[in-house]
Amino acid sequence: MVVVEPSLGGYAAAWRNIAMTIAQDTTVVTYNRAPYGASSPARDGRRPREIADDLHGVLKAVGVTGPLVLVGHSIGGIYLRTYAALHIERIAGMVLVDSSHETQRKLIPKYLSPRDRVLAALTMPQMIVRSREWRGGGDRRSCVTEFRMFKRLSAADQALASGGLGERPLIVLTRGPVSETRPGRLWLGWYELQQDLARLSANSRHVVSESPEHYLNECDPALVTSAICEVVHSARTGAPLGAPAATSEGD
C-alpha cells in the first residue's frame, strides 16, 4: 500500500493523477492533514511527531494494516521519516520527492541571493494576507504554526539516521538545476542534502529530474509515478532497485 504525504500547503487533490495511475497496481492513500483541504484546523504545534501520530490514526481509522510504501513531498518527507522511525516494522519502502531536510534552515540561507533572502522573508506575511485557497485550504493560524515549527528544526530532529531504513528500497527524487552548465551554489547545497537522504538505505537511488520545479508531482509526474512503481516492485519481490538511469546519481 502507498501512502502520500503532501508538502507545506499541499493537498491530496494535487496527487490525484499519480494516485489513480498507481491505484491500478496497488492501494493508494492520499489525505489532507490538518489544516489543508477540508480538514479541521490544527490544534497542536504541528511537530513531526504529532503529524506522524495523526497519520497513524488516519490509517487505523480506515483499516490499513499492511506494509507501507511512504511517499513524502517537501516537508511531507520529514513527517514520513518520523513516521517510519516510529513504525519501522510497517515500512516496506519510501520515495522522497524533493524532500525537505531537517538541517536545511541552517545550511541553505548562506547560499541565497539577496533577492531570494527577501522572498524567503516574505513567506510568513504571505500566509497571513493571501487567500485561504493559496494556503491549500488551511487557516492562517495553523499554517503559520507549521511554518514556524519548520524553521526551528535542526539536526537533533532527524528521526532516521543514515542507514535507518536498512535495505528497504528508497528513491530520492530531486528537482534539477535551472542551468545544467551552471547549477549554482544554492542547487548544489540542496543536492548535497538530497544525497544525505539517499544514505538512509543501503538499497537506494538518487534521481535528478529534468524539471527545475519543486512540485515534481505536477511538473514531472511520469518520473514520480515511475519511482513509486519501482519501489513497490522492489518491496514486493525483494529484488534490489535497478541500475540508475542516465540522469541519476547513485549513492
Side-chain angles (χ1 to χ4, degrees):
M1 179 172 291
V2 173
V3 177
V4 178
E5 185 75 54
S7 62
L8 179 71
Y11 45 94
W15 287 82
R16 178 177 175 80
N17 291 338
I18 290 174
M20 289 182 68
T21 301
I22 301 300
Q24 297 176 33
D25 183 54
T26 189
T27 302
V28 182
V29 175
T30 60
Y31 82 114
N32 293 310
R33 69 176 177 273
Y36 305 112
S39 294
S40 303
R43 304 299 183 189
D44 55 26
R46 297 286 77 192
R47 288 176 285 274
R49 172 63 186 264
E50 292 167 329
I51 291 174
D53 287 345
D54 283 352
L55 173 58
H56 190 63
V58 168
L59 296 178
K60 184 176 181 180
V62 297
V64 173
T65 59
L68 305 173
V69 169
L70 304 179
V71 180
H73 175 223
S74 193
I75 200 172
I78 291 177
Y79 300 149
L80 290 189
R81 293 196 296 276
T82 302
Y83 182 89
L86 294 169
H87 306 282
I88 193 65
E89 74 285 351
R90 298 194 61 188
I91 308 308
M94 184 179 292
V95 179
L96 296 173
V97 183
D98 213 37
S99 172
S100 302
H101 193 287
E102 289 84 350
T103 66
Q104 74 182 70
R105 304 296 301 185
K106 301 294 184 183
L107 299 178
I108 291 299
K110 66 182 180 181
Y111 299 122
L112 294 178
S113 66
R115 177 179 179 274
D116 288 334
R117 289 193 182 96
V118 171
L119 292 175
L122 291 175
T123 302
M124 193 176 299
Q126 286 193 83
M127 287 182 174
I128 295 171
V129 303
R130 298 193 67 166
S131 68
R132 195 181 189 103
E133 181 180 5
W134 183 86
R135 296 191 299 271
D139 64 288
R140 291 182 180 87
R141 179 188 174 280
S142 298
C143 291
V144 168
T145 298
E146 186 174 15
F147 184 67
R148 284 176 171 166
M149 178 283 302
F150 177 48
K151 291 179 66 176
R152 291 193 295 266
L153 291 178
S154 68
D157 297 295
Q158 290 180 258
L160 282 177
S162 179
L165 290 175
E167 296 187 354
R168 295 171 178 83
L170 164 68
I171 294 183
V172 175
L173 303 179
T174 302
R175 65 179 180 263
V178 175
S179 170
E180 291 186 6
T181 56
R182 299 182 63 186
R185 295 176 64 215
L186 176 59
W187 186 84
L188 290 172
W190 182 249
Y191 177 83
E192 287 302 317
L193 292 175
Q194 300 290 296
Q195 282 282 79
D196 185 60
L197 294 177
R199 298 184 184 100
L200 290 172
S201 173
N203 179 23
S204 72
R205 288 179 59 203
H206 183 188
V207 184
V208 178
S209 171
E210 293 182 357
S211 171
E213 302 297 327
H214 179 53
Y215 291 87
L216 295 178
N217 55 308
E218 298 175 358
C219 299
D220 198 353
L223 177 64
V224 176
T225 302
S226 175
I228 296 171
C229 289
E230 186 174 354
V231 168
V232 168
H233 175 75
S234 178
R236 281 176 173 169
T237 63
L241 295 172
T247 54
S248 305
E249 293 288 339
D251 187 69

